[in-house]
Amino acid sequence: MDEKIKNVIENHIENNDVCLFMKGTPDAPQCGFSMAVSNILKILEVNYKSVNVLEDQSIREGIKVFSDWPTIPQLYIKKEFVGGCDIIKEMYENGELKKILQDKGISSKKD
């Protein structure tokens, strides 16, 4: 991955408390896995930045190298890679995702 793409990815992660690299947009996801993670964040009412990896092939490939994770979507919270779709779904279901958001000072829907 070239330095320019690495910087673009780092800027997205560093400048947004919650950043989701996904296929498509939250309003028009282009894959079911991206839609699932986006919907979980909507349910929790979390403000997040989405990055549509389909708009730039170098970001699409670069994020996989950056995180050493082979799939998209990828969720970052406070600069930390949290996981992909299966991990996020499991963390949501067991309450761990909400706890991480709270622990990191990210406002989400209160039960």
Side-chain angles (χ1 to χ4, degrees), residues 89-100 102:
K89 280 168 57 175
E90 184 178 319
M91 290 173 74
Y92 171 69
E93 289 165 5
N94 69 22
E96 193 178 345
L97 181 60
K98 192 166 184 176
K99 182 172 180 348
I100 287 173
Q102 289 170 339

Side-chain angles (χ1 to χ4, degrees), residues 12-25:
H12 283 305
I13 293 168
E14 288 176 18
N15 294 320
N16 299 284
D17 286 343
V18 181
C19 187
L20 176 63
F21 290 84
M22 66 181 290
K23 293 179 181 174
T25 65

Side-chain angles (χ1 to χ4, degrees), residues 49-74:
K49 163 78 172 171
S50 66
V51 178
N52 182 357
V53 300
L54 299 178
E55 290 179 346
D56 189 331
Q57 185 65 27
S58 54
I59 289 180
R60 182 178 182 174
E61 295 308 315
I63 191 63
K64 297 174 188 179
V65 174
F66 183 86
S67 62
D68 196 23
W69 192 260
T71 59
I72 293 165
Q74 294 186 15

